[in-house]
Amino acid sequence: MFFPAISGWDFFALDGSIPAMTSILIKGGSIITENGPVRADILKVDGVITKVGVVEDTADEVIQALGYIIFPGLIDCHVHFREPGYEHKATMKSEAASARAGGVTCVCDMPNTDPPTVTISALSDKVRRASEVTDCDIRFFFGVTSAIHLATLKDLWVSTSDELIALKAYCCGVKLYFDHSTGDQKIEEELIETVFEACAELNIPIIAHCEDPQVNTEAAKANIDEDVAAHSIIRPTKSEAKSIKKALALVAQFGTAFHVAHLSSKRGLEFVAKAKEEGLPVTCEVAPHHLVLSTLDYKKLGTLCKMNPPVRSVSDNEALWQGIEDGTIDCVATDHAPHTLEEKQAGKPLDAPSGVPGVETALSILLTRLQPETIHKLMFENPNRIFDLGKQGLVVGSDADIVIVDPTVKRQIHAADLHSKCDWTPFEGKEVRGEVIRVV
Ligand code: DOR
Ligand code: ZN
């Protein structure tokens, strides 16, 4: 196995010669930091930031950024890039290009691929594939559905072999599904407690898809409606709330670092808020679709707004925005989950695959309602800290990607302008603010 070192860059060209330096100077932009915007120039030489402030140097390229805001490459800690196994839906290369076009240059990919990321060889294979992708830094969650996967994960975490240490650097934690979703990766129920205990001991963050299998099964049994809108009824908010509550009891018992994936409901949010008040090590993310789409959208979008957990009510949307404003919600992560249009539209609506793309549209959706500093927290600082991704941001010595955004542009989202292989968006025609001008 060979994996490139994270954040490294080559000083020598392959033929041994010293390559020519390339420099880019970005003049006059507003750099978004945790403490608000700061007007400064940035000089990047051979991929590394060498000056931030008033920079008078010449450079190979000078970008005039007056009036633009500047983010470090954003982080989306929840995507499904589908490779290997589902390349007809998407590839790492296609989705990395989509991410970059939307200002996202680091993502954490989920294990529900084929093969699933539940073995060392599956993880190594993904890391090798990702090393050929230049648009985006791709990290991976390890999946655990049965005891053998947990044993493998423990081996990976404690190994002293150079190869496994290098591999572990690409693994950002464990993904658990408490109920089935795309890829059928539901964890065996009797294993859940053991995983929380082991991850607490080894300091491995758990990210979980929180829906309760019993509640969902009962709701599905009671349902006779075939309309796609029934999807929100057969996976109800009480399912999410119950699942989060159960997980939080284990967090309280073992002290596991626990992250709630794609929080969708006010009820779920209330449990997270209470656990935070009690000082439990819990964090959470919300997806843009749960902020701006609701059950009212089934009429227009049909299966194009079918995902797990499902869209909720408009008052859930508002509660989630409020959760961002009061700091209960730590991250925005897109759950970017491309399926082909044919797959979404074939057969009975309730059998259509769940999942929507979103990595390229997240930033503009957020800029429509939030201050840039808040976005910096949600899509850089917090995911970087929670999953220990090692990004340094826009400081001297950092190899950060630099995202230049015109915040004043008002435009509509159109699939024709996007880069995901799936070629559709649930946000078609949506009025948003802001446009990524360049990522350098
Ligand atoms: O809507 C979803 N799509 N939710 C998931 O949990 C999985 C995802 C996918 O992989 O398609
Ligand atoms: Zn997901």
Side-chain angles (χ1 to χ4, degrees), residues 78 80 82 89 110 112 175 177 179-183 209 211 231 235 262 289 306-309 335-339 344 353-356:
H78 188 151
H80 301 261
R82 303 294 189 212
K89 296 179 196 276
M110 290 297 162
N112 60 340
K175 171 70 185 282
Y177 290 85
D179 194 10
H180 282 304
S181 189
T182 313
H209 181 124
E211 288 190 89
H231 189 61
R235 301 185 82 125
H262 41 51
H289 48 257
K306 177 175 186 276
M307 78 286 292
N308 298 331
D335 196 9
H336 178 79
H339 297 282
K344 286 297 253 184
S354 293
V356 299

Side-chain angles (χ1 to χ4, degrees), residues 30 42 55-56 58 71-72 84 95 105 117-118 141 149 154 165 173 201 217 259 285-286 292 335 365 367 426:
S30 271
I42 308 178
V55 182
E56 303 291 356
T58 55
F71 289 100
E95 304 320 285
T105 62
T117 323
V118 294
F141 285 108
H149 309 144
K154 284 181 177 172
I165 289 171
E201 270 163 26
T217 306
H259 183 80
E285 69 189 31
V286 64
V292 300
D335 196 9
I365 290 174
L367 276 169

Side-chain angles (χ1 to χ4, degrees), residues 137-207:
D137 177 5
I138 311 177
R139 311 291 178 89
F140 301 97
F141 285 108
F142 198 85
V144 171
T145 60
S146 60
I148 179 79
H149 309 144
L150 179 59
T152 308
L153 175 73
K154 284 181 177 172
D155 288 348
L156 172 65
W157 232 256
V158 301
S159 174
T160 51
S161 105
D162 288 346
E163 283 183 356
L164 291 186
I165 289 171
L167 184 61
K168 182 183 155 192
Y170 287 88
C171 180
C172 37
V174 176
K175 171 70 185 282
L176 302 181
Y177 290 85
F178 294 140
D179 194 10
H180 282 304
S181 189
T182 313
D184 290 343
Q185 290 219 312
K186 176 179 175 297
I187 183 171
E188 291 166 10
E189 210 114 329
E190 43 305 339
L191 186 64
I192 296 175
E193 186 171 326
T194 317
V195 177
F196 272 73
E197 187 173 16
C199 286
E201 270 163 26
L202 295 173
N203 211 11
I204 306 174
I206 293 179
I207 175 170

Side-chain angles (χ1 to χ4, degrees), residues 99-420:
R100 193 175 185 89
V104 172
T105 62
C106 179
V107 297
C108 303
D109 180 64
M110 290 297 162
N112 60 340
T113 42
D114 185 14
T117 323
V118 294
T119 61
I120 296 291
S121 66
L123 178 61
S124 322
D125 177 53
K126 277 191 163 181
V127 171
R128 186 192 53 73
R129 288 165 185 266
S131 73
E132 287 164 15
V133 173
T134 50
D135 279 336
C136 195
D137 177 5
I138 311 177
R139 311 291 178 89
F140 301 97
F141 285 108
F142 198 85
V144 171
T145 60
S146 60
I148 179 79
H149 309 144
L150 179 59
T152 308
L153 175 73
K154 284 181 177 172
D155 288 348
L156 172 65
W157 232 256
V158 301
S159 174
T160 51
S161 105
D162 288 346
E163 283 183 356
L164 291 186
I165 289 171
L167 184 61
K168 182 183 155 192
Y170 287 88
C171 180
C172 37
V174 176
K175 171 70 185 282
L176 302 181
Y177 290 85
F178 294 140
D179 194 10
H180 282 304
S181 189
T182 313
D184 290 343
Q185 290 219 312
K186 176 179 175 297
I187 183 171
E188 291 166 10
E189 210 114 329
E190 43 305 339
L191 186 64
I192 296 175
E193 186 171 326
T194 317
V195 177
F196 272 73
E197 187 173 16
C199 286
E201 270 163 26
L202 295 173
N203 211 11
I204 306 174
I206 293 179
I207 175 170
H209 181 124
C210 295
E211 288 190 89
D212 185 81
Q214 281 84 32
V215 174
N216 283 357
T217 306
E218 276 162 32
K221 261 196 224 149
N223 177 59
I224 48 160
D225 198 346
E226 293 197 349
D227 190 87
V228 65
H231 189 61
S232 292
I233 295 164
I234 63 181
R235 301 185 82 125
T237 57
K238 82 167 176 217
S239 166
E240 178 169 86
K242 183 175 172 199
S243 174
I244 291 174
K245 190 176 169 204
K246 272 162 74 175
L248 290 174
L250 295 173
V251 175
Q253 189 177 347
F254 297 113
T256 324
F258 182 68
H259 183 80
V260 179
H262 41 51
L263 186 71
S264 65
S265 65
K266 184 168 186 275
R267 295 169 87 162
L269 180 66
E270 282 165 358
F271 280 110
V272 173
K274 186 164 163 281
K276 286 189 163 200
E277 269 166 37
E278 288 165 7
L280 296 184
V282 60
T283 53
C284 66
E285 69 189 31
V286 64
H289 48 257
H290 290 130
L291 290 167
V292 300
L293 299 177
S294 72
T295 48
L296 301 179
D297 290 295
Y298 279 126
K299 206 163 178 213
K300 178 169 144 226
L301 293 174
T303 57
L304 298 191
C305 70
K306 177 175 186 276
M307 78 286 292
N308 298 331
V311 287
R312 310 296 192 187
S313 68
V314 172
S315 72
D316 285 296
N317 295 152
E318 276 315 305
L320 295 172
W321 282 114
Q322 184 54 41
I324 286 180
E325 271 149 41
D326 68 22
T328 308
I329 290 173
D330 303 276
C331 307
V332 166
T334 65
D335 196 9
H336 178 79
H339 297 282
T340 68
L341 204 49
E342 294 70 40
E343 289 167 332
K344 286 297 253 184
Q345 292 177 336
K348 292 185 184 165
L350 286 178
D351 294 338
S354 293
V356 299
V359 71
E360 192 169 343
T361 44
L363 175 59
S364 287
I365 290 174
L366 296 185
L367 276 169
T368 308
R369 184 144 167 184
L370 301 176
Q371 292 299 319
E373 301 84 272
T374 309
I375 300 173
H376 186 268
K377 277 203 185 73
L378 296 166
M379 294 194 73
F380 183 76
E381 275 168 64
N382 290 346
N384 191 35
R385 185 192 70 250
I386 294 165
F387 299 109
D388 198 14
L389 299 172
K391 299 292 176 192
Q392 292 172 286
L394 300 177
V395 294
V396 171
S398 162
D399 64 353
D401 296 300
I402 303 170
V403 179
I404 305 168
V405 176
D406 182 345
T408 61
V409 171
K410 285 188 182 162
R411 63 192 179 91
Q412 287 186 341
I413 293 176
H414 292 299
D417 301 329
L418 303 176
H419 299 76
S420 170

